[in-house]
Amino acid sequence: GAGVSQSPSNKVTEKGKDVELRCDPISGHTALYWYRQSLGQGLEFLIYFQGNSAPDKSGLPSDRFSAERTGGSVSTLTIQRTQQEDSAVYLCASSPGQRQETQYFGPGTRLLVL
Amino acid sequence: ELKVEQNPLFLSMQEGKNYTIYCNYSTTSDRLYWYRQDPGKSLESLFVLLSNGAVKQEGRLMASLDTKARLSTLHITAAVHDLSATYFCAVDAGGTSYGKLTFGQGTILTVHP
């Protein structure tokens, strides 16, 4: 079946602009995760959704970052007033929603802030 | 705060040789994952280790977990070029942090002829 998909695959934006990144999880997966991968910080957890609720937002780096999930499926990560340090690969993952499960990762969105 | 450390960070191997990547973590957990990442690609799940003493094998890779020592190992047997990639371990601290994976820095493996 289809895996996790993300769009856009690449995004170049100017400092100060807002960007939206989209994630389509594997059908039927209730848990959805956002991570960020950058050269300086490695792989970092951002936020976790169970259904439409976000019980853990602890990884969001600032209030410029927000995320939502609708219909228990698609999720959008929004970065407002982008800064150059936001440049990274943003990875989305999903899992069926039970403990001790593998998280399946999407291909990522490569964000470059000029 | 959970910390996960891998070593070595860079590993250059000859084909046919054996080697081990180590993953240490700082707080109690019984859920550890190994992922592979090829350049420019996303993360591919290799192993899920869910209990003390767990051992999983797939082809030339074998992973184990010692929760008492807070250590996991990824052993490579008779390396081949196709195994060249970056390998990450990740730990789920569980409890209220269930599902939040903390990753190691990654080990860049290069296998030479």
Side-chain angles (χ1 to χ4, degrees):
Chain A
V4 178
S5 61
Q6 294 185 244
S7 61
S9 53
N10 293 281
K11 177 72 176 179
V12 181
T13 191
E14 294 179 347
K15 178 180 171 182
K17 300 282 190 183
D18 297 351
V19 295
E20 283 190 354
L21 312 179
R22 175 186 169 110
C23 172
D24 280 275
I26 293 172
S27 178
H29 281 193
T30 61
L32 186 148
Y33 312 83
W34 285 97
Y35 293 86
R36 177 169 76 172
Q37 185 173 27
S38 60
L39 280 175
Q41 301 299 321
L43 271 155
E44 303 173 279
F45 169 84
L46 296 179
I47 188 169
Y48 152 58
F49 287 93
Q50 180 62 253
N52 291 335
S53 301
D56 192 342
K57 304 179 183 180
S58 62
L60 294 178
S62 76
D63 59 8
R64 296 186 295 104
F65 287 71
S66 62
E68 65 175 11
R69 190 178 184 195
T70 55
S73 182
V74 172
S75 176
T76 302
L77 178 68
T78 301
I79 309 172
Q80 295 179 308
R81 305 181 303 281
T82 52
Q83 303 294 313
Q84 288 182 333
E85 61 262 29
D86 299 334
S87 296
V89 177
Y90 290 82
L91 293 165
C92 176
S94 71
S95 71
Q98 302 302 313
R99 302 193 77 178
Q100 305 176 347
E101 294 169 331
T102 297
Q103 295 181 20
Y104 296 91
F105 282 79
T109 293
R110 286 159 182 75
L111 175 65
L112 177 62
V113 182
L114 300 177
Chain B
E1 180 188 349
L2 173 60
K3 294 190 187 303
V4 181
E5 293 190 352
Q6 289 179 234
N7 74 85
L9 300 184
F10 301 93
L11 180 53
S12 180
M13 296 177 65
Q14 273 192 308
E15 281 189 331
K17 299 292 188 182
N18 305 332
Y19 209 85
T20 300
I21 299 171
Y22 297 88
C23 174
N24 290 89
Y25 53 99
S26 62
T27 62
T28 301
S29 174
D30 58 1
R31 288 179 291 283
L32 190 138
Y33 305 82
W34 283 95
Y35 285 90
R36 167 182 172 145
Q37 186 176 39
D38 291 293
K41 304 292 185 182
S42 190
L43 296 165
E44 173 191 353
S45 175
L46 294 175
F47 300 109
V48 180
L49 302 169
L50 300 176
S51 62
N52 186 41
V55 178
K56 297 274 185 78
Q57 182 161 7
E58 180 72 34
R60 301 174 187 275
L61 301 177
M62 183 173 71
S64 66
L65 177 62
D66 181 342
T67 58
K68 294 179 181 176
R70 298 177 186 168
L71 170 69
S72 179
T73 60
L74 181 66
H75 187 73
I76 303 155
T77 302
V80 293
H81 179 70
D82 286 352
L83 290 179
S84 297
T86 300
Y87 293 85
F88 291 93
C89 63
V91 178
D92 182 338
T96 57
S97 298
Y98 152 61
K100 172 183 176 180
L101 295 184
T102 300
F103 284 83
Q105 311 97 308
T107 297
I108 300 174
L109 171 64
T110 305
V111 181
H112 300 285

